[in-house]
Each structure stands twice: as C-alpha cells, then as structure tokens.
Amino acid sequence: MMSTINLKDRSLLGLKDISRNEIGSILDRAAYWEAQEEKVTPILSSYFVANMFFENSTRTRFSFEMAEKRLGAQVLNFSAAASSVEKGESIYDTVRTLESMGIDAGVIRMKPDGVLQKLAETVKVPLINAGDGSNEHPTQALLDIYTMRKKFGELKGLKVSIIGDIRHSRVARSNLWALQKFGAHVNFCAPESMAAPELAQYAPYVTMDEAMHSDVVMMLRVQLERHATGLLKSAENYREQYGLTEARAAKLSKDTIIMHPAPVNRNVEIDDAVVESAQSMIFPQMSNGVPIRMAVMERAIRG
C-alpha cells in the first residue's frame, strides 16, 4: 500500500516537485491494480469524482473515467463546450461550484499555464492534473515510465530520446523531471522552431541520427493547434527531417522501444507501419494508463 499522505499532497499537479519514492510508490500500486483479475474493485464507491476538461481530450478523459469506474467511484463528467463556461463562467468559479456540491476529488485539464497551481491552493479537495498548457502532464509521464519499467526493469542508465515538438509539450517536461530522478539519460531532438531553449540545461539537444541510438525513442505529436503560422513548413518536410520513417525505424536496435503519447499524426511524426510494428509500445501505453490512473485516484482520495 502507498503511504498515508495529507490532503494537500494527495493532489498531483506535476512530477517536478514530488520525490522519486513517491513516484515509485504510484508505479508499484499501478502494478498491483494491473494484476487484479476483477474488473471492478469498488473501494471508492462512496466518493464522487469530477472530470473537468476545459480542453478537449479523448484518451486521457476515457482513461481516467475507466480507472475511476473500476474503483467504483461516482463519476461526473464536465466538458467546457457543454457548460456555463460557454456563458463566460471562469475556470475558478466552475471548480469552486463543483467543490461546493461535494465532490471528493477533481481531475482537470486546461490550456492556460499557471492556473492549476493557484486553484490547488484555494480548493479543499485534491486536484489531479490531466494536462495544463505546456507545463506538465504527470499521469501521461507516469504511464510512460511504467511502460519503460515493465520493458527494461531498471530505469537507471536508460537512454531516452524525446523527439519533436518539445516547445509545446507538457509530456516532454513531465517525462524529463521524472526520468532524471531515476537516473535515466534524457536527450531532446527538435527543429529550432519547436525547441525549448530553457530546457537545454537539463537535457541536451542532439541530431536525429544521434537520437536513434537510444533505448527509448519517444515521438511527440506536432501540436498544430498551438503553433503560430509559419513554424511548420509542411508535413512532408517535417516527416523527412524529424519523422520516424520506416527507413529510420529499420536501423534501430532490436531492443529499442518506440513510444508516442497519442493522438498520432500518422505519416507525419511517425509512419503508419511503424505505429503498428512489434517495437511500438503506443497501444500498451494506453493500456498502462488505466492502472496508473487507478493508483493516482486511490492516492488522491484515500491517501
């Protein structure tokens, strides 16, 4: 079982500021949940959870909902497009409203950076970050690291190359902060327009050829919706220079695994055949997201 923690620490806002031991505890608990044969273990049946998605999502929202329902929680789903946000209600007021109605925990996804931290300092229920702006996406990184640990057993010394739109990637940031706590070596590879110079002091930028010599090749989605006009010349040009094409994938070590947080722009950042290849962990990553989020929700509500 995970250690008992206070209400404030039950929130999961990011991985930068929590300890290696705490991350390890969540991974261990996820392994416990993955091993359970029963589909539903209703330990949270008397608790209400709100999934508050101010930004669209398919995988993350359904993964959280699946995890919550497998634990028996009473689930409320909130979508900004079908709410009073459309009438001008703020994120703060929406969260405070649901808190006032008696939810026990909230899962929240939003576009602005920095808002979630302020919310967490105000509300009296634990909040789980399901992606905030370009800041962090902690549960995605947890399931990524869980996938790596299942494959390699040990994270220390693992060489991980994260390739693509680093500038806008909360996934890259959460993976960087967490992997370094376990002694993994993280490299970035990105076109200049998609690099995040402020992260270079933590992880070096390498060429595409250098990035291919890794234990883990993690491709990132090109986040077209976050780009100003002109940052991406063309999809074909990007694929040629930074895509994991079939030709590049054929040169990888047979022990290298290929990851991607999805959704995938097939034949842009990664070729269609590579997505479906034996070295691809993209669909196992999605499977691993459910036990990870079960562990996170259990931690949020029961400590």
Side-chain angles (χ1 to χ4, degrees):
M1 287 287 293
M2 290 183 290
S3 59
T4 301
I5 52 179
N6 62 42
L7 176 62
K8 179 182 176 184
D9 290 337
R10 291 178 189 175
S11 288
L12 181 65
L13 306 185
L15 300 183
K16 186 176 184 179
D17 297 323
I18 71 172
S19 71
R20 167 181 167 158
N21 286 344
E22 189 64 26
I23 294 172
S25 176
I26 295 171
L27 300 180
D28 291 343
R29 192 61 178 169
Y32 167 83
W33 285 118
E34 185 182 11
Q36 302 307 301
E37 294 183 359
E38 293 294 327
K39 196 93 172 186
V40 177
T41 306
I43 62 170
L44 302 184
S45 60
S46 61
Y47 296 94
F48 286 78
V49 175
N51 296 323
M52 299 172 279
F53 280 67
F54 297 90
E55 184 183 41
N56 291 335
S57 167
T58 302
R59 265 152 300 279
T60 302
R61 188 175 72 80
F62 280 123
S63 182
F64 266 109
E65 187 171 352
M66 176 68 83
E68 292 152 359
K69 289 184 173 178
R70 286 191 60 183
L71 295 173
Q74 311 302 311
V75 180
L76 308 175
N77 283 312
F78 165 90
S79 172
S83 72
S84 291
V85 171
E86 287 291 288
K87 302 176 184 175
E89 187 170 67
S90 69
I91 293 174
Y92 173 81
D93 284 341
T94 302
V95 175
R96 288 301 306 271
T97 296
L98 289 166
E99 180 193 24
S100 300
M101 292 177 179
I103 63 169
D104 298 289
V107 176
I108 188 164
R109 182 181 180 101
M110 63 177 72
K111 289 182 180 179
D113 289 334
V115 173
L116 183 58
Q117 185 67 43
K118 292 178 181 176
L119 271 175
E121 293 170 357
T122 305
V123 302
K124 302 296 189 297
V125 297
L127 295 179
I128 310 302
N129 181 359
D132 69 320
S134 299
N135 182 35
E136 285 220 40
H137 194 343
T139 58
Q140 177 66 47
L142 286 170
L143 73 87
D144 292 340
I145 293 168
Y146 183 74
T147 302
M148 294 177 209
R149 196 176 78 164
K150 285 180 67 176
K151 167 65 178 178
F152 296 104
E154 176 64 57
L155 296 171
K156 186 176 181 180
L158 209 63
K159 189 173 179 181
V160 180
S161 288
I162 303 177
I163 301 165
D165 193 355
I166 306 294
R167 178 176 172 181
H168 298 93
S169 179
R170 49 202 179 199
V171 174
R173 287 166 174 79
S174 286
N175 269 288
L176 171 65
W177 307 136
L179 283 166
Q180 291 191 330
K181 295 178 196 289
F182 288 90
H185 303 293
V186 179
N187 293 323
F188 289 144
C189 177
E192 187 175 353
S193 63
M194 298 183 192
E198 72 277 12
L199 297 180
Q201 62 182 309
Y202 303 105
Y205 281 84
V206 299
T207 66
M208 193 62 181
D209 285 342
E210 291 170 330
M212 294 296 100
H213 297 284
S214 301
D215 301 300
V216 178
V217 171
M218 181 184 296
M219 307 303 294
L220 298 176
R221 184 173 70 88
V222 178
Q223 300 188 47
L224 297 172
E225 72 278 15
R226 299 183 196 276
H227 279 275
T229 303
L231 289 182
L232 185 64
K233 290 182 180 177
S234 71
E236 183 54 39
N237 178 267
Y238 183 88
R239 174 182 176 272
E240 185 178 320
Q241 294 192 49
Y242 292 96
L244 186 55
T245 61
E246 288 188 68
R248 286 194 174 105
K251 297 177 182 177
L252 294 173
S253 164
K254 63 179 178 56
D255 295 320
T256 297
I257 62 172
I258 298 163
M259 303 179 73
H260 191 300
V264 176
N265 293 312
R266 291 182 182 239
N267 301 314
V268 180
E269 63 258 11
I270 183 168
D271 276 7
D272 190 55
V274 180
V275 172
E276 307 292 343
S277 71
Q279 288 174 276
S280 169
M281 292 289 115
I282 296 172
F283 291 102
Q285 285 175 262
M286 296 178 199
S287 298
N288 293 335
V290 174
I292 281 290
R293 289 171 174 128
M294 290 173 77
V296 168
M297 294 313 302
E298 180 188 22
R299 172 181 179 270
I301 294 177
R302 301 183 80 189

